Amino acid sequence: MIFSRRNHALLESQAGFSLIEVLIGLVLSGLLMSMVAMVLGQSVTNNEVVRSSAGLSSRMFSLRRILHRDLQNVVPGSTIGVERDGFSVESVHSISLEGSGPLIVVWEFSSNMIRRVESSAGLEFENSYFLMRGLESWRLEFLDADNNAWISSAQQNARARGGKSTVKAIRLNLRFEDGQTIMIVERVPYATE
């Protein structure tokens, strides 16, 4: 009888986990796994946001640099033409034909894209460059040298028709589909209207 009590006590100590202990263990491991999944998911999302903003930043840097070169190389006494879908300048800055002389550069903001077109009637060529996608809206303003105030492109067109109006700078406001807004201010050294 002593032998059977020891065996019974030995069997009870080796019995394993109860159903409640197993369920508690499953719930705790499920909570731990869900927290790990949330952290990993947030990490992936943050990585995508950083990549996206780095790509946009790089494209914006290129856009600003090209616009800066176009405006710093404006032909003295030329005009800035404002159309419905963008603006144009006469510049000696060419991406494809370095040192080619004056050409017409058109900045076009249509079909949710920013595009730059350079053309020369004398050299019989035209090249178009796609710069950015996802543009929602744009607005162009001019810094009037006479009043030292920003005026809209419509006001500038009216002044240009009535007589000479000097421009010190342009301000280009771009709004993208993701809600980001960018303002580019560039000095125009030689433009007269």
Side-chain angles (χ1 to χ4, degrees):
M1 197 124 135
I2 295 176
F3 180 70
S4 66
R5 283 187 191 175
R6 284 186 192 168
N7 283 343
H8 185 63
L10 187 60
L11 288 176
E12 280 185 17
S13 66
Q14 295 177 355
F17 298 107
S18 68
L19 181 60
I20 293 177
E21 291 171 331
V22 170
L23 289 176
I24 290 173
L26 287 174
V27 168
L28 290 176
S29 64
L31 287 173
L32 182 64
M33 289 171 58
S34 67
M35 286 189 293
V36 167
M38 286 179 10
V39 168
L40 287 175
Q42 188 64 39
S43 174
V44 169
T45 302
N46 290 343
N47 188 24
E48 290 299 317
V49 167
V50 167
R51 274 186 176 180
S52 173
S53 65
L56 178 62
S57 177
S58 173
R59 289 189 305 265
M60 281 308 300
F61 177 77
S62 296
L63 183 136
R64 285 176 191 247
R65 185 181 47 154
I66 294 169
L67 180 62
H68 174 78
R69 288 182 180 167
D70 285 347
L71 294 176
Q72 294 311 302
N73 292 294
V74 166
V75 174
S78 65
T79 62
I80 298 175
V82 180
E83 292 88 28
R84 188 176 62 90
D85 291 334
F87 67 94
S88 62
V89 295
E90 187 177 3
S91 178
V92 294
H93 174 242
S94 173
I95 294 175
S96 54
L97 295 174
E98 194 71 29
S100 62
L103 50 102
I104 302 299
V105 176
V106 177
W107 282 80
E108 185 180 312
F109 308 100
S110 64
S111 303
N112 293 355
M113 292 186 258
I114 301 174
R115 189 173 305 145
R116 181 188 179 271
V117 180
E118 59 183 30
S119 62
S120 172
L123 297 176
E124 297 178 353
F125 91 98
E126 177 174 305
N127 282 332
S128 177
Y129 302 94
F130 167 75
L131 297 170
M132 291 189 80
R133 195 178 293 278
L135 183 69
E136 185 176 284
S137 65
W138 67 282
R139 187 178 73 238
L140 180 66
E141 298 171 306
F142 295 90
L143 182 59
D144 183 45
D146 300 331
N147 300 329
N148 209 29
W150 291 104
I151 59 173
S152 70
S153 55
Q155 290 172 312
Q156 178 61 23
N157 276 344
R159 287 180 177 197
R161 287 188 198 115
K164 292 285 183 180
S165 174
T166 55
V167 173
K168 287 170 112 177
I170 67 165
R171 180 166 61 186
L172 182 60
N173 292 296
L174 305 172
R175 181 173 176 79
F176 294 91
E177 291 172 342
D178 63 358
Q180 269 191 314
T181 57
I182 307 289
M183 181 190 310
I184 300 173
V185 178
E186 280 292 333
R187 188 175 67 86
V188 183
Y190 305 115
T192 57
E193 56 180 276

